Amino acid sequence: MNSWVLILFAMTTGAVVPFQLIFNGQLGAVTKNVFTASLFVFLIGSVVLTVILLLSRPEVPRLNDLVAAPFTAWFGGFIAAGYIISIVFITPRLGVGLTTGFILVGQVVAALLLDHYGAFGNAQHTLNIGRFIGFAFMVTGIGFIKYF
């Protein structure tokens, strides 16, 4: 697949995150509980994924393959739960722009470190001055969003 298509898809995926922040925050206001709102987000997501799986009929993974998966492969669900709970709580307090900005800063810090060390079997990309300057520009931009 053309890398530009992947880049456009990644940017589109990123563009819907602020909407998720708003909608999950609205659900938190209605339910008056971050955990209840987060549970509903996951229930709706589970229904959507169940329908997609039923329609696409993918090959069912074998139990041996699932058991052989690295222990860390199962952490995504915990991270997703923490992420949803956090955005339901934080977004109404900081606003969509700052919440999104600080989430991105955290993501880039973690991504740069994971790349630098080639963690969890990923390709290693050394943290160099150019990457650090790019990160510094990003943090500076978040500062402008916060104070102006």
Side-chain angles (χ1 to χ4, degrees):
M1 182 176 282
N2 184 330
S3 64
W4 285 107
V5 172
L6 295 174
I7 290 168
L8 193 58
F9 187 65
M11 290 174 60
T12 303
T13 301
V16 299
V17 170
F19 292 94
Q20 180 186 26
L21 298 177
I22 291 171
F23 302 151
N24 290 355
Q26 290 174 336
L27 192 56
V30 169
T31 63
K32 297 177 179 44
N33 184 285
V34 297
F35 303 111
T36 304
S38 299
L39 177 63
F40 281 121
V41 168
F42 278 99
L43 288 173
I44 292 164
S46 294
V47 169
V48 169
L49 289 171
T50 300
V51 169
I52 291 170
L53 285 171
L54 290 172
L55 292 175
S56 65
R57 300 169 54 142
E59 180 181 335
V60 178
R62 297 180 325 192
L63 183 59
N64 289 345
D65 293 336
L66 294 174
V67 171
F71 181 68
T72 52
W74 302 103
F75 287 171
F78 291 102
I79 293 169
Y83 173 75
I84 296 298
I85 291 165
S86 296
I87 65 174
V88 169
F89 180 77
I90 296 168
T91 302
R93 290 160 177 81
L94 286 184
V96 177
L98 279 179
T99 302
T100 302
F102 287 123
I103 287 170
L104 290 173
V105 168
Q107 287 177 338
V108 171
V109 166
L112 289 172
L113 290 172
L114 291 168
D115 272 356
H116 181 75
Y117 293 106
F120 304 105
N122 289 301
Q124 193 269 337
H125 301 278
T126 303
L127 179 60
N128 58 33
I129 190 69
R131 287 176 150 232
F132 182 79
I133 290 171
F135 171 72
F137 277 129
M138 183 178 181
V139 172
T140 302
I142 300 302
F144 276 99
I145 291 171
K146 178 165 177 35
Y147 293 108
F148 294 103

